[in-house]
């Protein structure tokens, strides 16, 4: 089993920055980690992913240029730096771990409990 614990969410104003962290423990076999988010009344959507083998990163179009995913393999931790936040970024953000750095949620076997990000206008 892999346990994922997110932290770093909060309430900020539009234009501000936040950094989310996700610490993995247990059988950390994953080859990729990703961030997804889910706003009230909406489907969970892909935000970003990183592949540990070559550090390749992937982003949703809606966050390209504003969000950066980075990982510390030695610490089994992945970060999501979020800049220029917008009200539409408001959601619960989930960390996920899996074998493939995909944009589909079914590519990931393990999920964290989520952390709330609220951006006020």
């Amino acid at each position: 089993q892999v346990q994922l614990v997110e932290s770093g969410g909060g309430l900020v104003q539009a234009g501000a920055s936040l950094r989310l962290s996700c610490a993995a423990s247990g059988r950390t076999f994953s080859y990729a980690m990703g961030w997804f988010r889910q706003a009230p009344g909406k489907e969970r959507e892909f935000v970003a992913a990183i592949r540990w083998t070559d550090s390749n990163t992937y982003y949703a179009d809606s966050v390209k240029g504003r969000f950066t995913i980075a990982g510390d393999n030695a610490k089994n931790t992945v970060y999501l730096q979020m800049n220029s936040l917008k009200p539409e970024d408001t959601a619960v953000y989930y960390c996920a771990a899996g074998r493939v750095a995909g944009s589909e949620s079914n590519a990931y076997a393990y999920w964290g409990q989520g952390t709330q990000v609220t951006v006020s206008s």
Side-chain angles (χ1 to χ4, degrees):
Q1 286 290 337
V2 175
Q3 293 79 42
L4 303 174
V5 178
E6 302 102 332
S7 61
L11 170 63
V12 296
Q13 290 189 330
S17 298
L18 276 177
R19 189 177 81 155
L20 305 183
S21 299
C22 174
S25 61
R27 291 186 60 207
T28 53
F29 68 92
S30 69
Y31 297 103
M33 292 184 75
W35 287 96
F36 287 73
R37 65 187 182 186
Q38 187 167 19
K42 294 188 176 181
E43 297 285 322
R44 187 172 297 188
E45 65 174 2
F46 170 74
V47 175
I50 184 168
R51 189 165 60 196
W52 289 126
T53 52
D54 55 13
S55 296
N56 272 2
T57 56
Y58 308 87
Y59 296 94
D61 288 343
S62 59
V63 306
K64 277 181 183 176
R66 299 188 299 122
F67 291 11
T68 302
I69 187 170
D72 185 333
N73 210 344
K75 295 182 179 179
N76 288 322
T77 299
V78 66
Y79 306 96
L80 184 68
Q81 178 67 42
M82 305 185 295
N83 298 330
S84 302
L85 282 162
K86 304 175 181 180
E88 52 263 44
D89 294 318
T90 295
V92 177
Y93 283 71
Y94 296 92
C95 174
R99 294 189 177 273
V100 178
S103 60
E104 298 294 327
S105 58
N106 59 15
Y108 300 86
Y110 299 96
W111 293 82
Q113 80 289 351
T115 185
Q116 177 71 46
V117 172
T118 303
V119 185
S120 63
S121 57

